[in-house]
Amino acid sequence: MEKGLISVDQWTQGSQAYFLTHLHSDHTKGLTSSWARGPLFCSRLTAKLFPLKFPGLNLSLLRVLDTGSWHSISLISPSSREKTVVQVMAIDAHHCPGSIMLLFRGEFGCLLYTGDFRWETDGERAKIARNTLLKALKDDAVDILYLDNTYCNPKYEFPCREFAAQQVADIIASHPSHDIIIGIDTLGKEELLLHISRLLNIKIWVWPERLQTMQLLGFHDIFTTKTSLTRVRAVPRYSFSIDTLEELNTIRPTIGIMPSGLPWLVKPLKGNDKLFGSLLTSYNRSKNGAKGGIETDKMNDNLGVERFHKYVYTVPYSDHSCFMEIQEFIKLVQPVKVRGIVSSSSCYVDPLYYFGRLCKANPPSRGLHNSEERKSLGKRVIAVQTNCYVRSGNATEAGRKRGRTLKVNFLGVNASKTNALRRIQRGAKIVPSE
DNA sequence: GCGATCAGCT
DNA sequence: CACAGCTGATCGC
C-alpha cells in the first residue's frame, strides 16, 4: 500500500482516510476528541460508542461501515496524483462489541487487516463467520494478511468462550455464599456476563461508566450499580488484585475470577515473589501433563481453570484467537504474505515461522525473537502504511480520563490514599453506600 | 491550566 | 510474561 492513502488504527498525519477496528485504548492511541485529520471509518456500533470514549468528537467525521458489503471511497493516489478508488468491507471480528476486520481492495492489491479478532471454529456462530469471510473473499486472493498474532504460539490453547463462560458460572454456583468479583475492561466480555446472569438468574454490578456502555449496547435490567442487588461484581481489571481480595475477605468471603487467555495476570502480594515464581513453574509443569503445586479445582480438572490463590481463579476466556484458530484462519484465507500486528510480546515470533507453509508462496521464515529484528519489522510495516501498531500499553488519553476519574469514585471517598483503598473504591467495595 | 508523553503499576 | 488500562510526574505551550 502506498503511503499517504489510508491508515488503520493509527492516527498520525498524512492519510486521507482513517479506519478504526475497535474502541480499545491501544488502538486509539493518538486519537483525541479534537480529531480533525479526516474521515474516520468504523462499525455502526463503534460509532454509537464513540461519544462515551471521546465526548465532544465531531461526529460528522464518522463514516459507518455496515458489515458484509463493499464501500467505495474516492481518494487521490499519492504517487500519480490521480483519483483512485479504495473498496473496503467490514467483517465482524468477534473481539469486542463493534470490532471489525477490514478487507481492502485497491491499486495496492487486496489486504485483510484482522484488527484484534477471535476466530472460533466450532458452533453456529463460527459457521456464519466462516461463510461470511468466504463470501467476502470469493473474488480475491489476499496479498497481505495483517494478523492479530497475540497468541501466535502453539503454547496458547484455550476453549471456545461459551465453554469458558460455563466454567465461570460453575465456579460461582459452587460458591453460593461468596461475593464474586470478575476483572473486565472498558469494553468486551459482555457475553460472559450475560451468560452468568442468565444461568444464575442474577444481576451483575458494574461501575457507573460501564453501565452507560451496557445501556448503549442495549442491555437493560441485567446490570446495576447498586451493590445491594447482587453478589456478583464486574470490576475494572486494574482494580483486581490479590491485595484487593485479601482486603475484601476481611469484610466478607469473596473470590475473584479473572477471565483471560493468559494464565498469569494476577500478581502476588508484594514481597512474595517466591510464591509467584513457584506458581508459574507449577503452571508450566501442569501444562506439560505433570501435576504441579497449583490447586486445580476438582470440577474443572485439566480444563484450563486454575485456582491461582486461595481467593483467585483464572479461567481461559479469551477475546483473541488461540494458536489453532489462527492456523485455521490462515488456511482459509491463504494469503500471499502475513504480517503480525502485535510485536511487543517478548515471545513474539514472525507468524510466517509457523504458517509460511500455509501461505501461497512463502518459505518458512525463522523466528523473530531478537528485539532489533522486531523493531525493524515494525518499521517496515509502518513504511507500507497499513499501520501495524506496537502494543505499548500506554494510554495517551490519560488526561481526558483524568477528568472523568472522580465520577467513577462512586463512594465519594477521596481517591488519593493507598492503592488498595483506591482499588476498593473503584469497584471492589462491599459496603453499600447508595 | 491543558495536552502530550513517559514511567510505573495492575 | 503483559489481552488493556489507570495514575502521577514532567514538560512545553
Side-chain angles (χ1 to χ4, degrees):
Chain A
M1 173 167 313
E2 287 172 293
K3 205 174 163 113
L5 201 59
I6 62 176
S7 288
V8 182
D9 291 350
Q10 187 174 292
W11 311 99
T12 47
Q13 269 175 343
S15 290
Q16 297 167 53
Y18 294 81
F19 295 82
L20 175 63
T21 59
H22 65 291
L23 270 173
H24 280 158
S25 299
D26 52 340
H27 292 252
T28 58
K29 190 185 168 199
L31 178 59
T32 66
S33 289
S34 53
W35 176 257
R37 283 184 180 146
L40 199 171
F41 293 83
C42 63
S43 69
R44 190 165 291 281
L45 196 45
T46 294
K48 193 173 179 184
L49 294 168
F50 242 106
L52 265 190
K53 264 239 174 212
F54 296 97
L57 184 115
N58 179 0
L59 297 177
S60 71
L61 290 171
L62 295 187
R63 305 279 184 276
V64 168
L65 296 171
D66 278 315
T67 53
S69 59
W70 287 102
H71 299 251
S72 289
I73 305 167
S74 282
L75 301 171
I76 305 295
S77 168
S79 55
S80 68
R81 297 268 132 209
E82 309 258 309
K83 189 185 134 181
T84 186
V85 172
V86 173
Q87 292 184 303
V88 60
M89 185 191 290
I91 300 165
D92 194 339
H94 300 290
H95 170 68
C96 68
S99 68
I100 49 175
M101 303 193 262
L102 292 164
L103 180 59
F104 294 100
R105 289 197 297 217
E107 57 185 31
F108 43 77
C110 179
L111 311 177
L112 178 57
Y113 190 99
T114 65
D116 288 352
F117 82 128
R118 177 88 200 243
W119 189 254
E120 285 177 350
T121 53
D122 297 319
E124 197 55 34
R125 259 179 54 167
K127 198 186 279 180
I128 293 167
R130 187 187 163 87
N131 288 337
T132 305
L133 185 69
L134 286 174
K135 194 177 157 199
L137 292 174
K138 70 180 186 332
D139 297 324
D140 295 284
V142 172
D143 297 301
I144 308 178
L145 171 65
Y146 293 87
L147 176 72
D148 172 12
N149 55 317
T150 303
Y151 293 130
C152 191
N153 186 311
K155 73 180 178 182
Y156 295 119
E157 291 177 83
F158 33 75
C160 69
R161 284 172 289 194
E162 192 179 347
F163 185 89
Q166 186 57 45
Q167 291 178 313
V168 173
D170 287 345
I171 293 170
I172 297 172
S174 68
H175 293 78
S177 50
H178 278 71
D179 275 14
I180 312 287
I181 67 170
I182 302 171
I184 61 168
D185 291 317
T186 55
L187 197 58
K189 309 259 192 314
E190 289 77 12
E191 294 199 13
L192 167 63
L193 302 179
L194 289 178
H195 183 91
I196 294 165
S197 174
R198 254 196 323 267
L199 215 77
L200 305 178
N201 190 29
I202 194 168
K203 283 182 190 287
I204 295 177
W205 183 94
V206 290
W207 62 101
E209 292 182 356
R210 199 57 158 98
L211 183 67
Q212 278 191 287
T213 303
M214 295 303 195
Q215 286 167 347
L216 275 184
L217 294 175
F219 305 129
H220 302 286
D221 308 320
I222 296 167
F223 300 99
T224 176
T225 53
K226 292 192 195 335
T227 48
S228 58
L229 295 184
T230 177
R231 66 187 180 97
V232 177
R233 297 193 299 278
V235 306
R237 202 173 66 191
Y238 66 84
S239 78
F240 183 109
S241 73
I242 289 174
D243 283 355
T244 307
L245 281 156
E246 297 277 2
E247 297 256 352
L248 289 169
N249 272 278
T250 65
I251 306 167
R252 188 174 302 184
T254 304
I255 58 164
I257 300 173
M258 181 54 74
S260 168
L262 294 175
W264 47 69
L265 272 176
V266 183
K267 288 210 168 177
L269 290 167
K270 282 190 192 103
N272 209 350
D273 294 340
K274 274 185 185 168
L275 170 68
F276 193 41
S278 73
L279 284 173
L280 275 185
T281 312
S282 305
Y283 174 79
N284 292 331
R285 266 209 304 278
S286 69
K287 277 278 162 197
N288 293 331
K291 274 281 157 253
I294 289 179
E295 263 187 77
T296 304
D297 198 84
K298 276 178 193 162
M299 70 193 171
N300 292 301
D301 203 12
N302 284 333
L303 296 178
V305 173
E306 300 284 3
R307 191 161 191 176
F308 229 75
H309 175 270
K310 61 180 169 177
Y311 301 137
V312 181
Y313 292 82
T314 64
V315 178
Y317 187 103
S318 172
D319 285 326
H320 293 266
S321 304
C322 67
F323 182 80
M324 181 276 290
E325 291 164 346
I326 295 173
Q327 185 167 44
E328 292 303 309
F329 184 75
I330 291 180
K331 276 189 201 165
L332 200 65
V333 175
Q334 293 182 41
V336 176
K337 293 181 187 164
V338 182
R339 290 181 187 157
I341 60 175
V342 181
S343 60
S344 72
S345 162
S346 75
C347 63
Y348 181 84
V349 174
D350 184 340
L352 285 178
Y353 176 75
Y354 293 117
F355 301 128
R357 69 199 155 76
L358 299 179
C359 299
K360 287 236 161 74
N362 276 294
S365 102
R366 64 197 202 290
L368 233 62
H369 291 277
N370 174 292
S371 65
E372 279 308 308
E373 289 181 78
R374 282 215 304 273
K375 269 184 214 157
S376 70
L377 174 89
K379 277 182 191 147
R380 197 162 68 236
V381 163
I382 286 164
V384 296
Q385 193 69 15
T386 306
N387 306 290
C388 297
Y389 67 97
V390 176
R391 233 185 250 287
S392 68
N394 240 330
T396 50
E397 315 103 298
R400 175 183 55 74
K401 293 253 170 69
R402 209 171 290 136
R404 300 190 300 155
T405 299
L406 289 178
K407 291 185 206 157
V408 184
N409 187 358
F410 67 101
L411 290 180
V413 185
N414 192 319
S416 56
K417 302 248 173 101
T418 66
N419 280 343
L421 178 57
R422 181 162 61 227
R423 280 194 299 270
I424 287 172
Q425 289 160 1
R426 288 296 291 269
K429 185 85 173 179
I430 294 171
V431 181
S433 72
E434 66 260 351

